[in-house]
Amino acid sequence: MVKPQLTWLQLIGMSCLLVFISPVQAETVQDQTSTFDISDPLATPEVQIDSEINSGAAALEDPLERDEFIDQVTSVSQLSDVQPTDWAFQALQSLVERYGAIAGYPDGTFRGSRSMTRYEFAAALNTALDRINELIATGSTSLVTQADLVALQRLQDEFAAELATLRGRVDMLEARTTELEANQFSTTTRLVGQTIFAVNAGGIDGDTVLSPTGATFRTDDPNATLIYRVSLDLNTSFTGTDLLRIRLDTGSGGPNDNAGGFLEPNFGSTLDFSAKPPSNGTFGIGRLFYTFTPLEGVTVSIAPNMRTTDYVDRNRYANLSFRDFSTLALMNNYVLFPINGPSSGAAVDWKVGDSPFTIRALYAAADAGNPTNQGVLRGTAPFVSLLYPGSTSPTTDLGDRGLFGDTHQGIVELEYAPSSEFAVRVQYSGGDIFDRSFDAIGVNAEVAIAPWVALFGRYGFSQYSDTAFGEIEPNYWMTGIVFPDLLQEGAVAGIAVGQPFIATEIGNATQTNIEAFYRFPINDNIQITPMIQIVTDPGNRSENGAIVTGTLRTAFFF
């Protein structure tokens, strides 16, 4: 078979076909969306370029794969799939030596057998013309012969319509980009969001539910419910290392919109994402804080609206109810946080040099914007209303309010984390609840035994004075196991068990909470999680039958 003779016209066509049309030749705008955790108060967002810019750039791309970027080569020998025996070898070698216009894929291949459309050829021809003009402008005319220019002129005439269309598309893209930049919300602020849909159903084994004091509490099972939560974060960075976060959120009805919270409201059997935010279809401010770094390794947060559990007692495997376990009592050390709702204060996180130690501290006050001693006091944990009856009444004198009032909490935590596979944290918490003192200590540990299995747990001991049951010393514990990447990368399964409020003064038994779940990622933005909850001796009452609930949770991130 006779090999075709390569003229300069064919050489230019071939070079456009095989070389110039590449992902890096068309300037595209890459999406800079970051993937930080929506609940993390220390996560600093990056500036996000509007997705419309990205979709506009995509209009210029060809049907070829665009997930591989091409690197410039300086010798044709760098291309593993181009051999000296190939009929185009000398032509490609000439393009390298005369024009420096050969590109190859990162794996060292040239992939010269791909086909192209006329528009793609026009785009490549335009690039070739630009390269020729550059050589002429820099005085490298010896590399460009008259025959070359004649061939290029013929190609330019042949593809004049396609070149005009291509330039029109570029002009349109530039105009759209300019318009979007002029009308974007902010050069420093990103809007990110999260939505949770959950179907929940369950009941209790028995006809009557007793409260922890022995009074009849419920006489009927709850109906199945459809739960939702929406969180919208406005994240602003002024210096690149700081973060101003304003969160708007809403929920379907608060902690009683699910079977666990309806049947056992005191000791954390509700779903965490239902209890936070405690709203009923109205938008409110869920977070408002400013985080900055005054010194290397030191992060400070000032928060008119904060949650204490955002800053301490974190655990890689049981901490975020939209990601892993959802039972409130399994998310954090239950007795350590009598203030776990809306509050005001400040937090400090200090990574001690290159050591494995981190020290954290925070101060939080409930109802800090109220200078009086009247009004509904929000921000306390569900068990607080049991220990101090009347705390939900707006007319009861529950002590002075304000930033340094009679309901406040301070926490100090020391973390030792020598590697990403192991961490242990010890904590002290203390303060006043309605001008009654409390103290608590806790420990929180996690260890990855292997890439596919990890263990974790918490323990807490506390003292609460002058309660409706006298001075009590509630204990808390929980432990669990998780299996990352089970059946699919990014998936995780887990089971945990715990006793949230061990106090012999309250009830005649000890409530035990069990939860199992499997989180299945549909993609980076959608996760589906079926889960089951079992609560034995709910309300610390042996007369109560076991509560069994099932939830199908779907989380959307955008």
Side-chain angles (χ1 to χ4, degrees):
M1 180 177 178
V2 178
K3 299 296 182 181
Q5 297 299 312
L6 188 66
T7 66
W8 174 249
L9 177 62
Q10 293 170 322
L11 179 60
I12 292 294
M14 183 201 65
S15 66
C16 292
L17 173 65
L18 303 181
V19 182
F20 291 110
I21 184 65
S22 67
V24 296
Q25 302 300 325
E27 296 182 8
T28 59
V29 182
Q30 300 298 318
D31 185 7
Q32 302 296 320
T33 305
S34 64
T35 56
F36 72 99
D37 191 341
I38 190 173
S39 69
D40 187 355
L42 304 180
T44 303
E46 301 173 2
V47 177
Q48 176 180 348
I49 300 177
D50 196 288
S51 60
E52 291 190 34
I53 300 178
N54 203 35
S55 62
L60 293 178
E61 296 203 354
D62 63 346
L64 304 180
E65 296 177 1
R66 296 307 184 194
D67 58 346
E68 297 178 274
F69 290 92
I70 295 177
D71 298 322
Q72 204 72 30
V73 298
T74 57
S75 172
V76 73
S77 62
Q78 295 176 247
L79 304 172
S80 61
D81 57 346
V82 176
Q83 304 300 323
T85 56
D86 292 337
W87 69 273
F89 179 82
Q90 291 183 351
L92 295 175
Q93 188 177 45
S94 176
L95 284 174
V96 172
E97 295 174 354
R98 295 179 63 192
Y99 296 103
I102 289 290
Y105 286 84
D107 61 0
T109 61
F110 184 64
R111 306 182 191 180
S113 61
R114 298 181 118 168
S115 60
M116 68 190 307
T117 67
R118 284 178 66 88
Y119 279 119
E120 293 163 355
F121 185 86
L125 176 59
N126 189 65
T127 303
L129 292 172
D130 290 342
R131 178 60 176 157
I132 294 296
N133 289 332
E134 179 184 342
L135 292 173
I136 293 174
T138 56
S140 302
T141 53
S142 61
L143 296 177
V144 184
T145 67
Q146 186 65 31
D148 296 342
L149 296 177
V150 171
L152 285 172
Q153 182 63 48
R154 291 173 58 189
L155 284 171
Q156 189 172 10
D157 293 341
E158 173 68 20
F159 288 90
E162 288 82 2
L163 287 171
T165 300
L166 178 65
R167 292 190 179 101
R169 289 183 176 180
V170 173
D171 291 341
M172 180 180 65
L173 176 60
E174 290 178 348
R176 291 181 62 189
T177 302
T178 301
E179 181 181 358
L180 289 171
E181 289 177 346
N183 294 280
Q184 63 182 326
F185 175 74
S186 171
T187 57
T188 59
T189 300
R190 289 184 55 217
L191 173 64
V192 296
Q194 175 198 101
T195 299
I196 298 174
F197 295 162
V199 178
N200 174 268
I204 191 167
D205 182 17
D207 299 326
T208 303
V209 183
L210 301 181
S211 71
T213 60
T216 299
F217 177 62
R218 302 287 189 198
T219 58
D220 56 342
D221 279 339
N223 297 322
T225 55
L226 177 61
I227 307 165
Y228 72 87
R229 175 184 174 178
V230 179
S231 298
L232 301 175
D233 280 5
L234 296 172
N235 296 313
T236 303
S237 179
F238 303 99
T239 66
T241 59
D242 62 342
L243 172 64
L244 172 64
R245 174 168 295 172
I246 303 173
R247 174 173 296 176
L248 304 175
D249 58 11
T250 187
S252 53
N256 294 327
D257 62 4
N258 59 94
F262 178 81
L263 295 169
E264 196 293 293
N266 296 114
F267 298 141
S269 299
T270 189
L271 300 176
D272 177 81
F273 58 80
S274 287
K276 306 170 185 177
S279 59
N280 188 13
T282 59
F283 267 96
I285 301 295
R287 301 287 193 282
L288 177 58
F289 61 81
Y290 179 65
T291 298
F292 60 98
T293 305
L295 300 171
E296 183 178 358
V298 178
T299 302
V300 178
S301 294
I302 309 280
N305 191 326
M306 69 186 300
R307 302 295 185 274
T308 52
T309 53
D310 285 350
Y311 299 89
V312 294
D313 198 39
R314 298 179 183 177
N315 190 287
R316 182 174 306 186
Y317 308 109
N319 195 68
L320 299 172
S321 60
F322 62 83
R323 187 189 67 185
D324 38 60
F325 297 94
S326 290
T327 303
L328 178 63
L330 300 177
M331 303 305 301
N332 294 102
N333 193 322
Y334 200 59
V335 300
L336 203 67
F337 296 95
I339 298 178
N340 70 347
S343 51
S344 302
V348 178
D349 186 294
W350 177 29
K351 179 70 172 66
V352 184
D354 295 329
S355 75
F357 293 98
T358 301
I359 300 173
R360 303 183 181 96
L362 69 82
Y363 173 86
D367 204 14
N370 186 351
T372 72
N373 58 5
Q374 299 292 319
V376 176
L377 183 67
R378 299 177 63 228
T380 58
F383 68 84
V384 170
S385 61
L386 175 67
L387 301 185
Y388 303 102
S391 60
T392 58
S393 172
T395 60
T396 303
D397 184 355
L398 301 174
D400 292 334
R401 312 294 175 85
L403 183 59
F404 303 104
D406 294 327
T407 301
H408 62 268
Q409 176 175 2
I411 301 177
V412 177
E413 177 180 82
L414 174 64
E415 177 186 77
Y416 174 71
S419 70
S420 59
E421 288 77 29
F422 173 76
V424 61
R425 308 164 187 92
V426 292
Q427 304 128 341
Y428 167 77
S429 174
D432 288 339
I433 302 296
F434 313 134
D435 202 21
R436 282 91 163 181
S437 65
F438 80 93
D439 296 278
I441 56 174
V443 61
N444 172 338
E446 61 189 57
V447 57
I449 301 175
W452 51 271
V453 61
L455 301 175
F456 59 94
R458 293 183 175 97
Y459 173 77
F461 173 81
S462 61
Q463 293 180 322
Y464 286 84
S465 64
D466 197 21
T467 74
F469 307 92
E471 183 170 328
I472 62 174
E473 297 180 345
N475 284 249
Y476 164 91
W477 68 266
M478 67 85 67
T479 187
I481 184 171
V482 295
F483 302 94
D485 298 326
L486 182 66
L487 303 181
Q488 177 180 322
E489 184 177 359
V492 62
I495 183 170
V497 58
Q499 293 183 319
F501 212 85
I502 306 170
T504 57
E505 300 87 352
I506 303 177
N508 58 7
T510 297
Q511 174 180 308
T512 301
N513 289 76
I514 304 169
E515 180 185 337
F517 76 93
Y518 179 71
R519 187 189 73 207
F520 178 79
I522 302 299
N523 52 45
D524 291 340
N525 301 101
I526 304 176
Q527 300 174 352
I528 296 179
T529 306
M531 54 166 286
I532 186 171
Q533 295 172 293
I534 301 174
V535 185
T536 63
D537 297 329
N540 282 6
R541 303 296 307 192
S542 61
E543 299 92 334
N544 290 331
I547 298 173
V548 179
T549 77
T551 304
L552 181 62
R553 181 186 76 205
T554 303
F556 303 88
F557 307 93
F558 54 92

